[in-house]
Amino acid sequence: RAAAGPAADMGEETAVKGMRPVSEDTIAAISTPPGEGGIGIVRLSGPDAIAIAGRVFISSSGRDPRMGSGRVFHGEVKDNGLVLDEVLLHVMRAPHSYTCEDVVEINCHGGAGPVNAVLELMLREGARLAGPGEFTKRAFLNGRIDLPQAEAVIDRIRAQTSAGLRAASASARGALSVEIGAMKDTLVELKAIIESAIDFADQELPELITPELHARVTDALDRMKSMLAAADAGRVYREGASVAIVGRPNVGKSTLFNALLRESRAIVTGQAGTTRDVLHEIVTIKGIPVRLTDTAGLRETSDEVESLGVAAARQALEEAAAILFVMDTSDRDISEDRKIAKQISTTETPCLIVANKIDLMGQSRQDYFAELSLKVVDTIWVSAKTGKNLDRLEEALGNLLLGGVEFAPDQGHINRIHQKDSLRRAADALGRLLADMERSPELLAFELDEALRALGEITGETTPDDVLDRIFSAFCIGK
Ligand code: GDP
């Protein structure tokens, strides 16, 4: 199913799996990132890929790369007798390649000089410079992968944590496609029955639908709803979240920041107001890439450098997905904390109180925070200095960022806005259908078609062209 490919209405560019693809031109691009490295790869895909490479490649063994497939040839790329680079040439013949087309990958020495020279030569020999994501788009249009699998390619490239990579790998293997496919099968079954009720008007529809099928349709709707709920969690794994650490001077923000980083970046000091810049660092908390922002604290100050820091701190608060409000439990005076609490309460950002320095006082003052008139998600008692309960803090922060949703990276999941939009429309249509099955079969068929079309937008069969263009333009060139 996963490789069934887009429907025939995609026009001439569509090919059925295993058939020769139909792209007319040959594209070329540098597929490795800019800069110096061991190797740099120029990739060609299309009907003339092997011919173009064959014209400029001189094999050191004398074997002709135009004859081989799935093989690697050593030799030189020459431009009018001038050697551009010593290379390895990898020939993959259609359909056994990334794009399902003839593909040649030229492994050059990794640097701007060799790869640019080889790419330019390919363009002069008749290849066209590939657009962003065009290789992957061809793999999709040629039916080798479906849309979720194409999108998983970019998720893999961008994954910042092992959880993110696992989720992308599951989609790449077709986990989402399989789930959506199963939903579609159920709906198609239901549609056949509804259509028979339209054709044979004497039959009552509810009697035609077996309890078993009705249960499966209900299950499909439940699964849509849980996928929608998990969608935001998936986005958090993929894109990460930013978290602001706030609190008055000397409560231990920098110490906490460093403890979470497990390396020293912020300046830890006993003097107030020395963390002048807002520091950013990415840490992994419960598999989530978290951008931690350590602020200068939300307080008025006459020091010019520091007031800049205060403005930045306010902005960090607004933009954060969560706030860690650090307080010093060894200090009885909470008048300053109260001011910060007031600032926090003007934002919508959820807040965890980090009651710090319990190594000094213990958890003796549970009533300490009740006075702050602040809506907080939870209070975690920690010692940033000794590391006590930091695991609990990470647990609570992870749950907060995921919105309390259990996220199973290995299952089918959606994580893009267009997927969410389509799945919500499918769920709405199916919900309306199930809410009143007594309506005319024509009306029910209409809702069902809407649901099926929306599901097809996720797998790529009915995705509008502008959405497709947007998806692939987010890729890098050469992918
Ligand atoms: P900031 O101004 O909020 O960033 O506070 P710092 O991280 O610079 O910490 C201020 C002082 O409190 C430093 O001397 C830290 O060593 C100390 N401190 C921070 N966390 C703890 C803690 O959990 N226990 C103890 N005993 N001291 C701490």
Side-chain angles (χ1 to χ4, degrees), residues 247-258 267-275 294-295 326 328 356-360 382-387:
R248 63 185 171 78
N250 268 327
V251 293
K253 295 182 299 299
S254 310
T255 310
L256 178 70
F257 183 80
N258 286 334
I267 314 151
V268 181
T269 162
Q271 276 183 339
T274 42
T275 310
D294 182 17
T295 67
V326 186
D328 182 347
N356 192 29
K357 307 197 188 180
I358 54 167
D359 54 308
L360 296 179
V382 306
S383 170
K385 197 169 185 174
T386 67

